[in-house]
Amino acid sequence: MKLKTKKRWNLALVASLALATVLSGCGNGSEADANQTYDPNSKLEFTWLNILHTASPPTDVIKNKLEEYTNSKINFSWVPDASKEERITTALASGQLADVVTITMMTNSTVRNSLKSGLFWDVGPYLDSYPNLKKIPQEVRTAASIEGHLYGVPFQKNMARSGLILRKDWLDKLGLEVPKTLDELYNVARAFTEDDPDGNGKNDTTGFGDRSDLRYSSFKTLSSYFGTPNGWAVDANGKFTPEFDTPQYMETLKYSHKLYENGYLTRDFAVTAKTDQQQQFAQGRTGIYTGMVDISSLENMSQGLQKGMELVPVNKISNGDGKYHVWSEGSGVGGLLAFPKSEVKSEAELKRLLQFVDKLLDKEAFMYMTGGIEGEHYKIDEDGSFKIINQDKWQADVQPFAASRPSEVTYKLKDSNPRKQMANELIQENDKYAVLDPTVPLDSQTNNEQGTELQKIVTDATFRYIMGELDDEGFKQAVQSWKDAGGTRITEEYEAAYKTSQGKS
């Protein structure tokens, strides 16, 4: 039996256009039968509102392979990553959704409210019925849940991917070692700026490149090296403190301001996009980049621009006490594959879609979405190393699917690029040092309603402090403004939710 043809949505990829919807008629011309029987052998046709992390959508090469493997027909609506917040929140508010929706902004107010409102199916009771989904660890399910309800299949990610990439050739030229402390890192940033690391006799290099994303810029990573809590701190009595109201956050502010003031941090970081930050690094204008996962991309981008570039990933920087901390992105959860009840009208449809997601967790599907077709896009060397053999074809056919894998941790590939393999190993090592956000499985109604707007107060104050536009007192006033505008209520609500989760009255 075939499931009925679904509504199809076409999302324009132009930021200035609103979401456009194109509806196709229902296959049987009637409403879904709530008592429809689940047929695991049915041909599944569905729509998927998905995030695009590349410049262009993929070709149909891998899509066709996935459809064949999963007995399905997939109608993708791709939303560019740069505009995902606007597009996804607009889609949620208007109800212009698809059968499967990729949700990555788990702390976004609109997203949290939509999940809590019952807009999506709670898939928690169903996961254990599928061979791959049942293997999702309980701690991942808990971290992805809201008040005990799991409103989608969690994207399984590494616990903590953060770290730095440094120009190893510059370190060697200047006689410097890979830094192990924040003081050593500061000296590297100074030397990369002042000591002509590229040897061209010009004052044209800067230590830290950065971008206008407080969470994924250097600041959050440096903050965790200082021992700042990840998002929130909670003490033995259940008292919550936001990260930006801690001494360690203030230490990071002072450190970052010193970098900026002395020219060791790019002057335009507050208005720099990620792609521009990468280009600065690839062109040899900066020597420190935040994000170990991007090491291969940076090497590829530098081809023809930088001769002799050698990179080294770094994951362990201490504040001098020999201890290591690194912030965890969502406690190993990268978002949800969610199923709106407005589109998925019956339990039978939900089960068939869950079967599809379960199939995506098979190694065959994982390899399609990671490497593509063996012999055409990649090969496995004699030592077991994975190697892309046609970079341009891989980027066109495969790369856009990599971020859509339900899990990036289920299978491990040995990368033929030793620097990338080292970065992969350091990311796995980060599990030992990961600092979790205690509010991930908790809920605050005020944060759902105002959290995104309130965060802008702190983000703006942080950037202004780094650039010397605010002093200590000015930043403290911004924190107080956050508290007065709703932050205090958020704190109290998290404390109450935490107490409930701990079984305390």
Side-chain angles (χ1 to χ4, degrees):
M1 176 186 69
K2 289 187 178 182
L3 294 179
K4 72 186 184 74
T5 304
K6 309 300 289 182
K7 296 177 181 177
R8 297 176 181 164
W9 304 99
N10 177 33
L11 294 179
L13 295 182
V14 181
S16 61
L17 296 179
L19 290 172
T21 58
V22 180
L23 304 182
S24 65
C26 294
N28 57 9
S30 63
E31 291 298 318
D33 179 3
N35 298 316
Q36 186 177 4
T37 303
Y38 164 51
D39 181 359
N41 298 314
S42 61
K43 177 71 174 279
L44 175 67
E45 182 175 355
F46 69 101
T47 55
W48 186 347
L49 182 59
N50 205 359
I51 308 300
L52 181 67
H53 293 268
T54 55
S56 302
T59 67
D60 285 344
V61 171
I62 299 305
K63 174 177 175 286
N64 292 340
K65 287 292 185 181
L66 290 173
E67 289 178 337
E68 180 182 0
Y69 185 75
T70 59
N71 190 26
S72 67
K73 178 173 174 52
I74 312 168
N75 300 298
F76 280 107
S77 292
W78 293 101
V79 175
D81 182 63
S83 58
K84 67 182 178 184
E85 187 156 355
E86 174 189 354
R87 299 294 186 84
I88 296 297
T89 54
T90 299
L92 289 171
S94 64
Q96 297 174 349
L97 298 168
D99 302 313
V100 181
V101 180
T102 295
I103 295 177
T104 58
M105 306 169 298
M106 295 293 288
T107 59
N108 179 279
S109 303
T110 301
V111 170
R112 298 281 292 189
N113 276 328
S114 296
L115 292 170
K116 282 187 62 182
S117 71
L119 182 63
F120 296 94
W121 284 86
D122 180 354
V123 303
Y126 300 94
L127 296 189
D128 288 342
S129 299
Y130 301 87
N132 292 318
L133 295 178
K134 71 179 182 182
K135 297 176 185 176
I136 298 175
Q138 185 57 51
E139 57 267 27
V140 172
R141 301 188 195 192
T142 300
S145 298
I146 298 178
E147 296 181 334
H149 297 284
L150 185 59
Y151 295 110
V153 177
F155 282 99
Q156 297 175 72
K157 301 285 187 180
N158 291 287
M159 290 296 292
R161 301 186 301 165
S162 193
L164 305 175
I165 297 172
L166 277 69
R167 286 289 296 265
K168 178 67 164 56
D169 53 321
W170 286 9
L171 289 173
D172 293 343
K173 184 178 186 300
L174 300 175
L176 297 171
E177 299 292 329
V178 174
K180 297 180 180 178
T181 68
L182 284 162
D183 287 344
E184 291 175 1
L185 179 62
Y186 183 89
N187 185 54
V188 168
R190 181 207 61 77
F192 279 6
T193 307
E194 297 179 346
D195 294 349
D196 193 22
D198 58 2
N200 67 356
K202 299 178 182 179
N203 182 23
D204 59 357
T205 58
T206 303
F208 270 94
D210 223 332
R211 62 182 184 264
S212 60
D213 184 335
L214 187 62
R215 183 173 176 85
Y216 293 101
S217 66
S218 66
F219 186 85
K220 182 74 171 177
T221 299
L222 292 173
S223 181
S224 63
Y225 293 161
F226 271 104
T228 306
N230 183 10
W232 294 78
V234 56
D235 66 17
N237 298 316
K239 177 178 172 55
F240 276 64
T241 303
E243 63 178 359
F244 46 81
D245 200 17
T246 63
Q248 297 91 340
Y249 194 95
M250 183 58 70
E251 285 185 86
T252 313
L253 283 173
K254 294 179 183 296
Y255 184 94
S256 298
H257 170 63
K258 189 177 176 183
L259 286 170
Y260 182 84
E261 185 178 42
N262 289 314
Y264 310 153
L265 171 64
T266 48
R267 307 297 294 179
D268 59 350
F269 80 94
V271 292
T272 299
K274 178 179 180 179
T275 52
D276 294 324
Q277 178 196 13
Q278 291 177 323
Q279 285 292 340
Q280 290 173 354
F281 191 91
Q283 293 166 3
R285 292 157 56 194
T286 60
I288 306 172
Y289 178 90
T290 306
M292 292 189 295
V293 294
D294 292 333
I295 193 165
S296 292
S297 297
L298 294 174
E299 289 181 336
N300 292 332
M301 292 174 69
S302 72
Q303 294 297 316
L305 300 174
Q306 291 287 294
K307 272 182 110 175
M309 173 189 272
E310 184 181 354
L311 306 182
V312 59
V314 180
N315 73 323
K316 293 186 291 189
I317 301 285
S318 80
N319 64 5
D321 62 4
K323 297 180 180 179
Y324 304 114
H325 318 275
V326 62
W327 67 282
S328 174
E329 306 165 75
S331 302
V333 177
L336 298 173
L337 278 172
F339 311 94
K341 293 179 180 177
S342 60
E343 311 305 312
V344 183
K345 297 182 182 297
S346 71
E347 187 179 58
E349 291 178 281
L350 174 66
K351 288 180 176 180
R352 182 63 184 88
L353 286 165
L354 287 173
Q355 182 191 24
F356 166 81
V357 177
D358 188 78
K359 291 286 287 182
L360 289 187
L361 286 163
D362 285 349
K363 189 169 184 179
E364 292 88 340
F366 174 86
M367 290 306 300
Y368 282 137
M369 301 177 81
T370 304
I373 301 169
E374 187 170 7
E376 184 174 334
H377 299 96
Y378 75 93
K379 69 175 182 178
I380 303 296
D381 290 336
E382 291 182 1
D383 66 351
S385 297
F386 169 85
K387 184 177 183 179
I388 301 296
I389 57 177
N390 188 327
Q391 188 69 31
D392 291 342
K393 187 168 180 53
W394 179 82
Q395 288 177 337
D397 298 342
V398 187
Q399 188 178 19
F401 286 102
S404 301
R405 296 171 299 178
S407 174
E408 64 180 31
V409 300
T410 305
Y411 305 102
K412 302 296 182 186
L413 298 176
K414 180 182 178 182
D415 203 287
S416 60
N417 180 340
R419 277 85 56 197
K420 175 62 173 174
Q421 179 60 23
M422 182 180 179
N424 292 342
E425 292 171 0
L426 295 184
I427 288 171
Q428 293 176 42
E429 185 182 37
N430 274 350
D431 286 358
K432 296 187 291 187
Y433 314 118
V435 180
L436 306 186
D437 182 345
T439 67
V440 167
L442 304 179
D443 193 61
S444 157
Q445 185 58 38
T446 303
N447 189 62
N448 294 342
E449 296 170 352
Q450 299 176 241
T452 303
E453 287 302 312
L454 288 176
Q455 180 58 38
K456 292 177 182 178
I457 298 173
V458 178
T459 299
D460 179 66
T462 298
F463 284 155
R464 291 181 64 196
Y465 188 102
I466 292 171
M467 294 186 290
E469 298 174 7
L470 280 184
D471 58 11
D472 289 16
E473 186 57 34
F475 185 80
K476 291 177 182 177
Q477 289 176 3
V479 172
Q480 188 59 50
S481 295
W482 176 87
K483 292 178 179 179
D484 294 342
T488 297
R489 289 196 302 277
I490 292 174
T491 304
E492 293 170 349
E493 288 166 5
Y494 275 139
E495 289 174 348
Y498 180 76
K499 184 180 293 187
T500 299
S501 72
Q502 300 297 302
K504 300 175 183 178
S505 57

